Amino acid sequence: MVTVFFDRESLGNYKAQLALRGVRSAIAKRKYECKLIHELDGVEPADEHGKPIIVFSHSESRSLRILRELSEKGYRPVFIVNRISGAEYSVSSVSIDYRYACHLLTCRMLEDNDRPIAFLGFNSDSIPDKQRLEGFEAAVGERGADSRMFANFGDVRSCLEEYWAHRDIYKNVVCVNDIHAVALLNRLKESGEDCGAYRICGFGNTMLSKYSVPRITTVEPNYELAGRCAVELYSVLERNKNLRAVTFTVDAEFYEEDSLVGESAGTTALIPPVPMPLHGDFYDDSYVMELDSLDSMLSTCDETDLGRSEE
């Protein structure tokens, strides 16, 4: 029996659904049984100390609490996607190399121009966002480019409006995910702006990014593979009781589009960063849910549904 804990607050996240699909496929392939739990109260104490348990939570603050409670119940958690650092308990993980991926994206955007560049949508309670920001800041530091981070405190539209006041300065934009990138494209179109004057990239390679016009450059983190690897790591830990902190890293694929190239602009400015709260709640943001629902709908469509003839 493989015990799998998926944080209920994160279940609406597309990363969670892909990771869970990977977990289930790997468990079925090994002919294990799966016990899926969404609440910590539903996790019984481990029947043997050090028993592995697969965990997904997109929130850093919740991840730390989950790690503490599961460890105290006698488990060795294997976190999917999140690589937790500075915890008082040992933890294993299957993580995506977000830092390298964002460093690559940012370098690509700056390689043919040194225009100021923005990092849009940062959530200080998201471990992937923190790793992406590290990669962004490293690339910006190497190039000596002017930059600014625009934080999302739980309302994508407010985040976009904050960026909008400085859009003439920051036409290179690295977004934390495809939803923010598509939301920015929508804002540009609604305002009659020339999308070709901007260079925008996101993360996820979601259906929204594939069908956005123009297409955006994006990175596809292989969450499903991460889920499958978590089951492999679970098996390794189950066979080796002395292993306490093992990390698998899954690479991301880079998808570059040529439609958002833009012309060089000479305007530069440094704007001091705004202070950030501890975290924001993103699961009640109606605009995010609207775009996420559209992405889910597109994922079930074929070429005929989309008005395209199949060759």
Side-chain angles (χ1 to χ4, degrees), residues 195-198 212-217 256-262:
C195 293
Y198 295 79
S212 66
V213 180
R215 291 282 296 274
I216 62 173
T217 295
E256 187 167 22
E257 298 296 337
D258 296 327
S259 55
L260 292 181
V261 176

Side-chain angles (χ1 to χ4, degrees), residues 21-32:
R21 183 191 304 170
V23 168
R24 282 176 162 157
S25 67
I27 288 176
K29 184 177 181 180
R30 287 177 170 268
K31 298 184 178 177
Y32 292 158

Side-chain angles (χ1 to χ4, degrees), residues 127-200:
I127 293 176
D129 281 13
K130 289 184 176 181
Q131 294 171 355
R132 290 170 186 149
L133 183 60
E134 287 177 4
F136 172 83
E137 290 177 336
V140 166
E142 291 167 9
R143 295 298 299 262
D146 292 341
S147 66
R148 176 169 178 172
M149 183 271 291
F150 294 90
N152 184 349
F153 301 153
D155 183 346
V156 170
R157 291 187 189 276
S158 295
C159 178
L160 288 175
E161 290 307 311
E162 178 68 19
Y163 164 78
W164 199 251
H166 308 289
R167 69 188 184 283
D168 290 337
I169 299 172
Y170 300 99
K171 294 188 181 290
N172 283 334
V173 187
V174 177
C175 299
V176 294
N177 55 45
D178 289 347
I179 285 180
H180 283 75
V182 171
L184 177 55
L185 278 180
N186 288 344
R187 185 72 170 86
L188 291 170
K189 292 175 184 178
E190 290 168 359
S191 303
E193 292 271 341
D194 177 13
C195 293
Y198 295 79
R199 198 166 187 180
I200 302 169

Side-chain angles (χ1 to χ4, degrees), residues 97-127:
D97 197 345
Y98 292 113
R99 188 185 189 282
Y100 173 75
C102 196
H103 182 274
L104 175 62
L105 271 179
T106 307
C107 286
R108 290 286 181 90
M109 295 186 77
L110 293 173
E111 66 186 7
D112 57 356
N113 71 78
D114 287 320
R115 294 187 301 176
I117 186 168
F119 188 80
L120 181 68
F122 175 74
N123 168 13
S124 59
D125 191 41
S126 167
I127 293 176

Side-chain angles (χ1 to χ4, degrees), residues 14-288:
Y14 73 96
K15 306 175 188 65
Q17 296 303 315
L18 291 173
L20 184 55
R21 183 191 304 170
V23 168
R24 282 176 162 157
S25 67
I27 288 176
K29 184 177 181 180
R30 287 177 170 268
K31 298 184 178 177
Y32 292 158
E33 292 184 13
C34 176
K35 183 179 182 181
L36 182 61
I37 303 172
H38 300 306
E39 302 291 346
L40 281 171
D41 291 344
V43 181
E44 298 292 333
D47 50 17
E48 57 176 312
H49 189 75
K51 183 176 178 60
I53 182 172
I54 295 172
V55 180
F56 182 98
S57 176
H58 198 55
S59 162
E60 182 177 39
S61 57
R62 287 198 300 273
S63 292
L64 291 171
R65 179 170 61 86
I66 292 167
L67 171 61
R68 183 184 68 252
E69 293 195 24
L70 291 179
S71 297
E72 290 174 353
K73 288 184 176 184
Y75 290 95
R76 282 182 294 166
V78 176
F79 276 82
I80 307 175
V81 179
N82 284 354
R83 179 184 293 178
I84 301 173
S85 59
E88 58 183 307
Y89 299 95
S90 61
V91 57
S92 297
S93 64
V94 177
S95 64
I96 308 291
D97 197 345
Y98 292 113
R99 188 185 189 282
Y100 173 75
C102 196
H103 182 274
L104 175 62
L105 271 179
T106 307
C107 286
R108 290 286 181 90
M109 295 186 77
L110 293 173
E111 66 186 7
D112 57 356
N113 71 78
D114 287 320
R115 294 187 301 176
I117 186 168
F119 188 80
L120 181 68
F122 175 74
N123 168 13
S124 59
D125 191 41
S126 167
I127 293 176
D129 281 13
K130 289 184 176 181
Q131 294 171 355
R132 290 170 186 149
L133 183 60
E134 287 177 4
F136 172 83
E137 290 177 336
V140 166
E142 291 167 9
R143 295 298 299 262
D146 292 341
S147 66
R148 176 169 178 172
M149 183 271 291
F150 294 90
N152 184 349
F153 301 153
D155 183 346
V156 170
R157 291 187 189 276
S158 295
C159 178
L160 288 175
E161 290 307 311
E162 178 68 19
Y163 164 78
W164 199 251
H166 308 289
R167 69 188 184 283
D168 290 337
I169 299 172
Y170 300 99
K171 294 188 181 290
N172 283 334
V173 187
V174 177
C175 299
V176 294
N177 55 45
D178 289 347
I179 285 180
H180 283 75
V182 171
L184 177 55
L185 278 180
N186 288 344
R187 185 72 170 86
L188 291 170
K189 292 175 184 178
E190 290 168 359
S191 303
E193 292 271 341
D194 177 13
C195 293
Y198 295 79
R199 198 166 187 180
I200 302 169
C201 66
F203 274 83
N205 195 34
T206 61
M207 296 301 294
L208 282 176
S209 72
K210 294 175 183 177
Y211 291 102
S212 66
V213 180
R215 291 282 296 274
I216 62 173
T217 295
T218 187
V219 165
E220 180 176 13
N222 200 330
Y223 298 113
E224 190 168 344
L225 175 59
R228 295 198 299 270
C229 287
V231 177
E232 297 299 322
L233 182 50
Y234 178 99
S235 298
V236 170
L237 293 175
E238 194 169 45
R239 293 193 304 269
N240 299 272
K241 305 300 182 184
N242 294 326
L243 290 178
R244 285 287 164 184
V246 182
T247 298
F248 288 179
T249 301
V250 177
D251 287 336
E253 291 188 63
F254 183 72
Y255 291 82
E256 187 167 22
E257 298 296 337
D258 296 327
S259 55
L260 292 181
V261 176
E263 299 296 327
S264 296
T267 308
T268 60
L270 270 176
I271 301 176
V274 295
M276 295 178 295
L278 290 177
H279 65 275
D281 182 3
F282 294 82
Y283 303 99
D284 293 326
D285 187 329
S286 59
Y287 191 40
V288 169

